[in-house]
mmCIF file of all heavy atoms in Angstrom:
data_model
loop_
_atom_site.group_PDB
_atom_site.id
_atom_site.type_symbol
_atom_site.label_atom_id
_atom_site.label_comp_id
_atom_site.label_asym_id
_atom_site.label_seq_id
_atom_site.Cartn_x
_atom_site.Cartn_y
_atom_site.Cartn_z
ATOM 1 N N GLN Y 269 86.258 119.306 -219.142
ATOM 2 C CA GLN Y 269 86.555 117.927 -218.745
ATOM 3 C C GLN Y 269 86.918 116.943 -219.827
ATOM 4 O O GLN Y 269 87.561 115.919 -219.552
ATOM 5 C CB GLN Y 269 85.319 117.425 -217.967
ATOM 6 C CG GLN Y 269 83.940 117.366 -218.762
ATOM 7 C CD GLN Y 269 83.280 118.670 -218.637
ATOM 8 O OE1 GLN Y 269 83.772 119.676 -218.367
ATOM 9 N NE2 GLN Y 269 81.902 118.540 -218.938
ATOM 10 N N ASP Y 270 86.598 117.271 -221.001
ATOM 11 C CA ASP Y 270 86.911 116.377 -222.231
ATOM 12 C C ASP Y 270 88.301 116.505 -222.654
ATOM 13 O O ASP Y 270 88.865 115.685 -223.451
ATOM 14 C CB ASP Y 270 85.947 116.634 -223.318
ATOM 15 C CG ASP Y 270 84.567 116.162 -223.052
ATOM 16 O OD1 ASP Y 270 84.331 115.280 -222.197
ATOM 17 O OD2 ASP Y 270 83.605 116.683 -223.699
ATOM 18 N N VAL Y 271 89.033 117.609 -222.251
ATOM 19 C CA VAL Y 271 90.326 117.810 -222.713
ATOM 20 C C VAL Y 271 91.403 117.718 -221.611
ATOM 21 O O VAL Y 271 92.632 117.808 -221.950
ATOM 22 C CB VAL Y 271 90.514 119.237 -223.411
ATOM 23 C CG1 VAL Y 271 89.678 119.272 -224.695
ATOM 24 C CG2 VAL Y 271 90.170 120.353 -222.491
ATOM 25 N N PHE Y 272 91.007 117.603 -220.385
ATOM 26 C CA PHE Y 272 91.953 117.433 -219.243
ATOM 27 C C PHE Y 272 91.841 115.972 -218.795
ATOM 28 O O PHE Y 272 90.819 115.345 -218.592
ATOM 29 C CB PHE Y 272 91.600 118.403 -218.083
ATOM 30 C CG PHE Y 272 92.269 119.632 -218.170
ATOM 31 C CD1 PHE Y 272 91.735 120.659 -218.954
ATOM 32 C CD2 PHE Y 272 93.435 119.916 -217.529
ATOM 33 C CE1 PHE Y 272 92.341 121.920 -219.074
ATOM 34 C CE2 PHE Y 272 94.073 121.122 -217.568
ATOM 35 C CZ PHE Y 272 93.553 122.128 -218.363
ATOM 36 N N ILE Y 273 93.002 115.274 -218.604
ATOM 37 C CA ILE Y 273 93.135 113.919 -218.212
ATOM 38 C C ILE Y 273 93.900 113.945 -216.859
ATOM 39 O O ILE Y 273 95.056 114.369 -216.870
ATOM 40 C CB ILE Y 273 93.889 113.083 -219.255
ATOM 41 C CG1 ILE Y 273 93.167 113.198 -220.588
ATOM 42 C CG2 ILE Y 273 93.981 111.619 -218.785
ATOM 43 C CD1 ILE Y 273 94.070 112.685 -221.747
ATOM 44 N N PHE Y 274 93.248 113.511 -215.772
ATOM 45 C CA PHE Y 274 93.896 113.340 -214.450
ATOM 46 C C PHE Y 274 94.102 111.863 -214.255
ATOM 47 O O PHE Y 274 93.187 111.077 -214.285
ATOM 48 C CB PHE Y 274 92.892 113.836 -213.459
ATOM 49 C CG PHE Y 274 92.740 115.362 -213.437
ATOM 50 C CD1 PHE Y 274 91.758 115.941 -214.286
ATOM 51 C CD2 PHE Y 274 93.570 116.163 -212.595
ATOM 52 C CE1 PHE Y 274 91.650 117.328 -214.190
ATOM 53 C CE2 PHE Y 274 93.364 117.534 -212.582
ATOM 54 C CZ PHE Y 274 92.342 118.128 -213.370
ATOM 55 N N THR Y 275 95.374 111.485 -214.198
ATOM 56 C CA THR Y 275 95.667 110.070 -214.134
ATOM 57 C C THR Y 275 95.680 109.583 -212.688
ATOM 58 O O THR Y 275 95.540 108.437 -212.462
ATOM 59 C CB THR Y 275 97.144 109.762 -214.636
ATOM 60 O OG1 THR Y 275 98.095 110.362 -213.725
ATOM 61 C CG2 THR Y 275 97.345 110.311 -216.030
ATOM 62 N N GLY Y 276 95.753 110.477 -211.662
ATOM 63 C CA GLY Y 276 95.961 110.010 -210.346
ATOM 64 C C GLY Y 276 97.387 109.615 -210.122
ATOM 65 O O GLY Y 276 98.267 109.733 -210.978
ATOM 66 N N GLN Y 277 97.680 109.016 -208.922
ATOM 67 C CA GLN Y 277 99.065 108.668 -208.622
ATOM 68 C C GLN Y 277 99.417 107.444 -209.506
ATOM 69 O O GLN Y 277 98.597 106.511 -209.673
ATOM 70 C CB GLN Y 277 99.165 108.250 -207.092
ATOM 71 C CG GLN Y 277 100.619 108.161 -206.657
ATOM 72 C CD GLN Y 277 101.135 109.500 -206.527
ATOM 73 O OE1 GLN Y 277 100.493 110.480 -206.168
ATOM 74 N NE2 GLN Y 277 102.500 109.609 -206.766
ATOM 75 N N VAL Y 278 100.698 107.525 -210.085
ATOM 76 C CA VAL Y 278 101.060 106.344 -210.884
ATOM 77 C C VAL Y 278 102.397 105.899 -210.430
ATOM 78 O O VAL Y 278 103.194 106.588 -209.673
ATOM 79 C CB VAL Y 278 101.333 106.797 -212.396
ATOM 80 C CG1 VAL Y 278 100.006 107.314 -212.926
ATOM 81 C CG2 VAL Y 278 102.430 107.799 -212.579
ATOM 82 N N PRO Y 279 102.753 104.575 -210.462
ATOM 83 C CA PRO Y 279 104.029 104.052 -209.956
ATOM 84 C C PRO Y 279 105.206 104.832 -210.518
ATOM 85 O O PRO Y 279 105.228 105.207 -211.758
ATOM 86 C CB PRO Y 279 104.016 102.624 -210.469
ATOM 87 C CG PRO Y 279 102.570 102.229 -210.688
ATOM 88 C CD PRO Y 279 101.982 103.481 -211.220
ATOM 89 N N TYR Y 280 106.162 105.049 -209.619
ATOM 90 C CA TYR Y 280 107.330 105.938 -209.964
ATOM 91 C C TYR Y 280 108.008 105.446 -211.258
ATOM 92 O O TYR Y 280 108.341 106.234 -212.126
ATOM 93 C CB TYR Y 280 108.292 105.881 -208.802
ATOM 94 C CG TYR Y 280 109.508 106.637 -208.981
ATOM 95 C CD1 TYR Y 280 109.514 108.067 -209.203
ATOM 96 C CD2 TYR Y 280 110.769 106.002 -209.035
ATOM 97 C CE1 TYR Y 280 110.651 108.795 -209.414
ATOM 98 C CE2 TYR Y 280 111.988 106.821 -209.246
ATOM 99 C CZ TYR Y 280 111.910 108.093 -209.417
ATOM 100 O OH TYR Y 280 113.012 108.805 -209.685
ATOM 101 N N LYS Y 281 108.098 104.147 -211.430
ATOM 102 C CA LYS Y 281 108.883 103.696 -212.579
ATOM 103 C C LYS Y 281 108.002 103.741 -213.904
ATOM 104 O O LYS Y 281 108.509 103.464 -214.972
ATOM 105 C CB LYS Y 281 109.309 102.208 -212.324
ATOM 106 C CG LYS Y 281 110.426 102.120 -211.269
ATOM 107 C CD LYS Y 281 111.055 100.798 -211.158
ATOM 108 C CE LYS Y 281 112.150 100.784 -210.087
ATOM 109 N NZ LYS Y 281 112.861 99.431 -209.982
ATOM 110 N N LYS Y 282 106.731 104.015 -213.780
ATOM 111 C CA LYS Y 282 105.961 104.227 -214.896
ATOM 112 C C LYS Y 282 105.890 105.718 -215.384
ATOM 113 O O LYS Y 282 105.492 105.947 -216.558
ATOM 114 C CB LYS Y 282 104.587 103.786 -214.625
ATOM 115 C CG LYS Y 282 104.372 102.367 -214.390
ATOM 116 C CD LYS Y 282 104.249 101.453 -215.623
ATOM 117 C CE LYS Y 282 102.973 101.722 -216.464
ATOM 118 N NZ LYS Y 282 102.918 100.911 -217.633
ATOM 119 N N VAL Y 283 106.451 106.584 -214.542
ATOM 120 C CA VAL Y 283 106.335 108.032 -214.928
ATOM 121 C C VAL Y 283 106.991 108.346 -216.196
ATOM 122 O O VAL Y 283 106.498 109.135 -216.945
ATOM 123 C CB VAL Y 283 106.854 108.863 -213.704
ATOM 124 C CG1 VAL Y 283 106.979 110.316 -214.086
ATOM 125 C CG2 VAL Y 283 105.980 108.780 -212.497
ATOM 126 N N PRO Y 284 108.156 107.794 -216.518
ATOM 127 C CA PRO Y 284 108.793 108.105 -217.827
ATOM 128 C C PRO Y 284 107.932 107.771 -219.003
ATOM 129 O O PRO Y 284 107.947 108.446 -219.954
ATOM 130 C CB PRO Y 284 110.076 107.233 -217.838
ATOM 131 C CG PRO Y 284 110.365 107.015 -216.367
ATOM 132 C CD PRO Y 284 109.063 106.976 -215.675
ATOM 133 N N GLU Y 285 107.062 106.739 -218.852
ATOM 134 C CA GLU Y 285 106.151 106.423 -219.984
ATOM 135 C C GLU Y 285 105.134 107.535 -220.198
ATOM 136 O O GLU Y 285 104.794 107.883 -221.321
ATOM 137 C CB GLU Y 285 105.439 105.045 -219.683
ATOM 138 C CG GLU Y 285 106.482 103.941 -219.828
ATOM 139 C CD GLU Y 285 105.730 102.565 -219.469
ATOM 140 O OE1 GLU Y 285 104.547 102.600 -219.243
ATOM 141 O OE2 GLU Y 285 106.501 101.576 -219.422
ATOM 142 N N TYR Y 286 104.625 108.070 -219.055
ATOM 143 C CA TYR Y 286 103.694 109.205 -219.170
ATOM 144 C C TYR Y 286 104.354 110.439 -219.724
ATOM 145 O O TYR Y 286 103.724 111.141 -220.534
ATOM 146 C CB TYR Y 286 103.083 109.449 -217.757
ATOM 147 C CG TYR Y 286 102.011 108.461 -217.477
ATOM 148 C CD1 TYR Y 286 102.290 107.244 -216.788
ATOM 149 C CD2 TYR Y 286 100.584 108.699 -217.730
ATOM 150 C CE1 TYR Y 286 101.299 106.271 -216.523
ATOM 151 C CE2 TYR Y 286 99.656 107.719 -217.403
ATOM 152 C CZ TYR Y 286 100.044 106.622 -216.828
ATOM 153 O OH TYR Y 286 99.061 105.652 -216.445
ATOM 154 N N ILE Y 287 105.491 110.762 -219.247
ATOM 155 C CA ILE Y 287 106.299 111.858 -219.849
ATOM 156 C C ILE Y 287 106.515 111.604 -221.378
ATOM 157 O O ILE Y 287 106.589 112.623 -222.089
ATOM 158 C CB ILE Y 287 107.565 112.138 -219.072
ATOM 159 C CG1 ILE Y 287 107.294 112.563 -217.653
ATOM 160 C CG2 ILE Y 287 108.407 113.331 -219.706
ATOM 161 C CD1 ILE Y 287 108.510 112.785 -216.731
ATOM 162 N N GLY Y 288 106.747 110.381 -221.650
ATOM 163 C CA GLY Y 288 107.017 110.053 -223.057
ATOM 164 C C GLY Y 288 105.902 110.297 -224.009
ATOM 165 O O GLY Y 288 106.014 110.454 -225.210
ATOM 166 N N THR Y 289 104.668 110.398 -223.486
ATOM 167 C CA THR Y 289 103.503 110.798 -224.173
ATOM 168 C C THR Y 289 103.369 112.251 -224.510
ATOM 169 O O THR Y 289 102.656 112.700 -225.413
ATOM 170 C CB THR Y 289 102.154 110.259 -223.557
ATOM 171 O OG1 THR Y 289 101.974 111.137 -222.444
ATOM 172 C CG2 THR Y 289 102.187 108.847 -223.198
ATOM 173 N N MET Y 290 104.147 112.994 -223.767
ATOM 174 C CA MET Y 290 103.907 114.462 -223.804
ATOM 175 C C MET Y 290 104.793 115.179 -224.888
ATOM 176 O O MET Y 290 105.980 114.863 -225.056
ATOM 177 C CB MET Y 290 104.315 115.089 -222.381
ATOM 178 C CG MET Y 290 103.512 114.538 -221.259
ATOM 179 S SD MET Y 290 104.149 115.079 -219.639
ATOM 180 C CE MET Y 290 103.102 114.161 -218.492
#
Side-chain angles (χ1 to χ4, degrees):
Q269 59 270 22
D270 291 337
V271 297
F272 271 83
I273 303 165
F274 291 85
T275 69
Q277 197 71 36
V278 302
Y280 178 65
K281 291 188 177 180
K282 294 280 289 182
V283 173
E285 293 177 2
Y286 282 87
I287 297 178
T289 69
M290 300 173 187

